[in-house]
Structures are given as structure tokens and as C-alpha cells.
């Protein structure tokens, strides 16, 4: 019986690591990285882009929001999408619903 428990825990660990390391081409569209430094300090200011709430997001709007917020990076967070939880003061997070409508904008 202990062998089964160890095997099961090992499988969970492998599955978790595989999920973290897999590269999905669709995730490339949800994260917009800057090739040039931001116009401001690189510290995100979500107050500057609160007007996005209720709008439908696309790549151009994401990049504009990143610049307007002064963030180095912007990411669009879709429902049920796994995301890293580390805080990054230079990152703009744009939460959208199933129809790509912005629900919330914050930094971190």
C-alpha cells in the first residue's frame, strides 16, 4: 500500500511539473512583452487604464494599455487559466471573461 501512495504522489509531481514547463502557442498571444523600454519608469500604474473595463481586448489594445500604464509587460488572463502568482511591479494584468471583455485591470 505505501508503494501505491508514493507512486501516486510521484505522478502528481510529474504532472504538475509538465504543466509548468509546456509551451502552448496560444499563450504567446496572451502575453505581450515589450521590445523597447516603456515610456515611463517601468512601474505599472493600473489607474491609468481603468477605462479598459468593459471593452473587448485585442493585441493592439493590450499593447496600448501596457504603454499607457507604464508597464514593461502586459498579460491577458483568461478564465480558468493557470497563472504565476509572483508579484511583478512592472507587469499589467488584464482579466477578461469568455467573450474577451475586460473585467479587471491591475498590476502585479
Amino acid at each position: 500500500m505505501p508503494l501505491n501512495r508514493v507512486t501516486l504522489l510521484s505522478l502528481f509531481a510529474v504532472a504538475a511539473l509538465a504543466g509548468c514547463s509546456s509551451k502552448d502557442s496560444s499563450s504567446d498571444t496572451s502575453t505581450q512583452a515589450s521590445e523597447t523600454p516603456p515610456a515611463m519608469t517601468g512601474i505599472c500604474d493600473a489607474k491609468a487604464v481603468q477605462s479598459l473595463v468593459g471593452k473587448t481586448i485585442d493585441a493592439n489594445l493590450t499593447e496600448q494599455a501596457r504603454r499607457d500604464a507604464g508597464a514593461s509587460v502586459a498579460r491577458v488572463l483568461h478564465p480558468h487559466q493557470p497563472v504565476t502568482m509572483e508579484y511583478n511591479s512592472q507587469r499589467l494584468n488584464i482579466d477578461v471573461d469568455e467573450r474577451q471583455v475586460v473585467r479587471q485591470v491591475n498590476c502585479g
Side-chain angles (χ1 to χ4, degrees):
M1 195 57 90
L3 180 63
N4 289 338
R5 206 174 289 164
V6 170
T7 303
L8 184 59
L9 288 174
S10 297
L11 287 174
F12 281 134
V14 169
L17 290 174
C20 292
S21 65
S22 68
K23 176 116 172 102
D24 183 357
S25 63
S26 66
S27 67
D28 289 344
T29 60
S30 65
T31 302
Q32 300 293 322
S34 170
E35 294 179 7
T36 59
M40 297 168 61
T41 62
I43 304 234
C44 180
D45 177 17
K47 292 177 186 175
V49 292
Q50 289 300 315
S51 62
L52 285 178
V53 175
K55 293 183 179 179
T56 302
I57 199 72
D58 61 21
N60 292 331
L61 191 57
T62 301
E63 180 58 21
Q64 183 64 44
R66 182 197 64 77
R67 283 191 302 251
D68 291 350
S72 296
V73 179
R75 66 179 177 179
V76 178
L77 304 173
H78 302 277
H80 312 293
Q81 173 185 351
V83 295
T84 59
M85 296 302 294
E86 84 275 359
Y87 181 80
N88 180 348
S89 64
Q90 298 178 352
R91 180 175 54 214
L92 177 67
N93 297 311
I94 304 170
D95 294 318
V96 298
D97 64 15
E98 293 83 9
R99 295 173 291 144
Q100 304 300 310
V101 175
V102 177
R103 297 183 311 172
Q104 178 181 345
V105 181
N106 60 28
C107 296

